[in-house]
Every structure is written in structure tokens, then in C-alpha cells.
Amino acid sequence: MDAVDDLVLRSTRVVTPDGERPADVEVRAGAITAVRAHDAPVPSGVQVVDLGDDVLLPGLVDSHVHINDPGRTEWEGFATATAAAAAGGITTVVDMPLNSIPPTTTTAHLDVKRDTARGRVHTDVGFWGGAVPGNLADLRPLHDAGVFGFKCFLLPSGVDEFPQLAPPEVEAALTELTGFGGMLIVHAEDPGTIGGAPQRSGRRYADFLASRPPAAEDRAIAGLIELARRLGARIHILHLSSASALPLIAAAKSEGVRLTVETCPHFLTLTAEEVPDGATEFKCCPPIREAANQDALWQALADGTIDCVVSDHSPSTIDLKAKDTGDFAAAWGGISSLQLGLPAVWTEARRRGHTLADVARWMSAGPAALAGLPAKGAIAAGYDADFAVLDPDAAFTVDPALLRHRNPITAYAGRTLHGVVRGTWLRGRPIAADGGVTGPPTGRLLTARRP
């Protein structure tokens, strides 16, 4: 082993695809070469990093992050978003094609994104493309340029430069994508159902919740399943909130429909019953629902109906959250949680009897498989040496001012969470420790691997 490039990370608690155990993890030139017995002999001169009883997890993969750069960098940016991700144990993020200007809907726009990000990212970063009216001919070139799939909306996205697809346009996009093996990732809420729901402005969270009923998700997902079944298309459902859609999803999967599903930390850890009126930092679409709904989401994670957990970090400036009025109808919809996903999910997972191996499967292996990142998501030989070091029993109270993302507002403010990220490693090099980045940006820009 070359002592310059090689090291061993040692812990009594290493989370591997086979479960948690004491182990030594050998790293050479940024990749894992072996996972050996704890306290195994180490070649002379090789650095040993002994983590004691802190847990060594595979670096998290967050495939749903709105970085908003360029164009809305006052909302977020590549430097701040990836610093927050690194501080939270995330080593790879995949950037959504909106709310940046320009959106990632052509190869020229993808080039702008990559030029903006280059040299500024603390984690590895990949890119989703967008499917919008009029860009059908751009989908294959974007695919060939290395985007990981294509996002669309079935109803207004919230920004004018990224319009929704009408039903015939969804089918046309899916037909095009299926022709070259592409995947459509969908904000699945039915516009007609929402249009028929009561739409009231004001401070009452109950009114906002009623404006985005579960039936909107259920109806949209049912239609997408039918398209996927008929066309043989691959569809991913973004940020599932409605538990009443789970039987549809489970049935479709059991018959072989090419369908995957994600949910988010806020749906797993926050409930409608606890959202104060006027607390617009809790607004997101689809919305945070009731505790019974949350219980069903957890069960679906446990049985595999839901494939992964990702942040849907969708930040904005504080003024856009309408904190002065507390009007949910006027506020930007999005939860800022990039740095907090791991402790938030672990806090609730352990209360419900789940393990850190479960969390790693949901937040690392699952998103890596979704995006098609074969070197990410596990502590095993041949994978990138990406790690999160977690003290699972330490607790902290969330102070928005101490978070690394750009605007200090989050629905988790004041909550006590378990699980402190002590360090984050990217390809065998430490990039964050104790809530802050430890050096200049060293992340890479990723392109999708094609067969």
C-alpha cells in the first residue's frame, strides 16, 4: 500500500451492505479496496484513523436538491448547498433542473450549470434534466450529455420558466424517453383535483392542507402507473406524501411496472398536528400530513414499497416565506433541510425500532441506485471511499443560524435531534467535521454512465 494515498478507517460500528459490524476499511487512491476484520494488521506507514465507537456509514446520496444556481443564488448556490450537504454527511447530490435560471432543459443550459458549479462544490454533484413543453427534441441530447433523468410537473411548478406538461405532453415525453432508456421523475399532483379543492389564503395550516388533498397525489400516481404499464416506461415518483397511494404503488410494483418512489425527512418526522398556524417554514407541496399518514409511510419504507429518502431541499430567501404575514397561500413552498436529513430521520427511525443499516439503505444505497451511481452508496470493495461518521447517541438542538445553507430558516428550528455528524469523507479525504467544511471544494461533477 502506498502510504501517501492509502489509509485505514477503523470503527467498532461499520455499516456495510451485510449489516453493522466492527471492521477496518482499507482505502487506496480514493476507493475502498477491502473491508477487513477490526484491528487487522496494517502495513507499515499506512495511516489508521480510529473512529472508536462512532458509526462509519456510507456517504449519503441526496438525489433531490434544488441548488438554484445560477439565476437565484440568493436562494441557495453550489458552494453553500454542498457545504451544508457535506456537514450533514452527504457526499453526492443531484441537482434539480429548476429553480435556476436557466433551467436545465437544453444542453446549452446544462453547460451553464456545469460552468457555474465547476470548482465550487464540496461534494460530488450530478444533474437532472427537465421535460417542459417544447423541448421534446432536447431530451435525447441531454441524456447523451449525462443527465440522470428528466423531471416534469403535472401542475404549475411555481416558476414561470419551468412550465408543467399537459397529459398528451407527458405521454409524448415518456414515449421519447423509453426509446433510449431514459427515466421520467414526476411531481405527481393532479391539477384538476387541486383546482376543485378549497383554496383559502391565511394563516391556518388546516386550510393549506385542505388545498392539497391526498386525492391529488393518488389520482396523478394512478395515471402515471397506467402510462408506465402501457408504454413500458420507467417512472419515479418524487416526494410521496400521501399514504393512500401506497396500495396502488405496491400493486404496480408487484406486477412489474417500472416504478420507484421516494419520500422525504419532513414527511417522516413532522406532522400536520404540530404545525402552528402562520408557521410558513413548514409549507411544502405536497404538504406535511397527519400522524396516521406518517405511520403508513414508515411501514412502506420497511416493506420496500418506498425505495429511498431524499431531502427535497427547496430553499428560498426568508422574505419569500411570508413570515411577516404567515400566509400559507403566499409563501414559497419548500423545506430547507439539507444538513439535517440524517439526524432527523435517525431520530425517528430509532424511536420506531429501525437500525442505521436501514437508514443507510434508504438514504445512501437507494438514491444511488435510483440515479445509477454504481460507485456510490455502500461500504464495500470497489466503491468510492465516501463516508459519514456519526455519533448516533449525541443530541443537539437545531439553531438555523449555525446551518451552512444560505438562508437561516428551517422547519426543524428548535427541535432536538439525535445523531451528530462528526465527519464526512469524499474519496478518502475529509471534507467536513463538526458542522463545517474542512478545506477548499474538491467535489466532482458527475455524468450518468450509459450502457
Side-chain angles (χ1 to χ4, degrees), residues 36-100:
R36 304 195 183 279
H38 189 257
D39 286 335
V42 175
S44 176
V46 172
Q47 179 186 7
V48 177
V49 179
D50 194 332
L51 303 171
D53 296 328
D54 283 347
V55 180
L56 188 66
L57 291 157
L60 271 59
V61 177
D62 193 337
S63 57
H64 194 148
V65 181
H66 294 269
I67 295 179
N68 309 335
D69 196 5
R72 290 191 174 96
T73 46
E74 70 275 17
W75 294 18
E76 194 59 277
F78 284 105
T80 52
T82 58
I90 299 165
T91 50
T92 302
V93 303
V94 188
D95 173 55
M96 282 290 162
L98 72 163
N99 303 300
S100 58

Side-chain angles (χ1 to χ4, degrees), residues 382-408:
Y383 283 75
D384 287 349
D386 297 350
F387 309 111
V389 180
L390 185 74
D391 182 342
D393 299 317
F396 67 102
T397 300
V398 176
D399 179 354
L402 299 180
L403 299 178
R404 304 291 298 188
H405 62 70
R406 175 151 287 159
N407 289 283

Side-chain angles (χ1 to χ4, degrees), residues 107-199:
T107 55
H109 292 176
L110 175 63
D111 289 341
V112 172
K113 274 281 188 87
R114 286 175 169 161
D115 288 345
T116 303
R118 192 169 288 111
R120 300 174 57 213
V121 294
H122 295 276
T123 66
D124 286 355
V125 176
F127 301 90
W128 296 110
V132 296
N135 85 324
L136 196 64
D138 294 295
L139 301 183
R140 181 61 188 259
L142 278 164
H143 175 85
D144 292 344
V147 301
F148 288 88
F150 297 87
K151 181 175 186 177
C152 77
F153 282 76
L154 307 183
L155 74 178
S157 70
V159 292
D160 292 340
E161 66 275 2
F162 201 95
Q164 75 270 29
L165 295 180
E169 294 169 322
V170 174
E171 182 164 351
L174 274 172
T175 301
E176 176 73 7
L177 296 180
T178 303
F180 54 78
M183 175 174 59
L184 191 68
I185 65 174
V186 186
H187 182 122
E189 288 183 286
D190 176 65
T193 304
I194 289 177
Q199 304 293 323

Side-chain angles (χ1 to χ4, degrees), residues 281-361:
E281 63 269 27
F282 288 85
K283 180 182 176 179
C284 57
C285 300
I288 295 163
R289 303 194 189 276
E290 298 83 356
N293 184 89
Q294 184 181 94
D295 291 341
L297 294 178
W298 276 101
Q299 180 56 47
L301 269 177
D303 66 26
T305 303
I306 296 174
D307 299 273
C308 55
V309 179
V310 293
S311 70
D312 188 13
H313 177 68
S314 185
S316 72
T317 54
I318 293 176
D319 62 297
L320 290 178
K321 294 301 281 186
K323 290 299 294 175
D324 54 339
T325 64
D327 184 350
F328 277 96
W332 175 258
I335 303 288
S336 294
S337 63
L338 189 57
Q339 190 172 334
L340 300 171
L342 176 56
V345 171
W346 171 234
T347 298
E348 187 65 13
R350 73 182 215 157
R351 188 182 75 81
R352 292 174 179 264
H354 298 290
T355 67
L356 281 166
D358 294 328
V359 173
R361 185 172 69 254

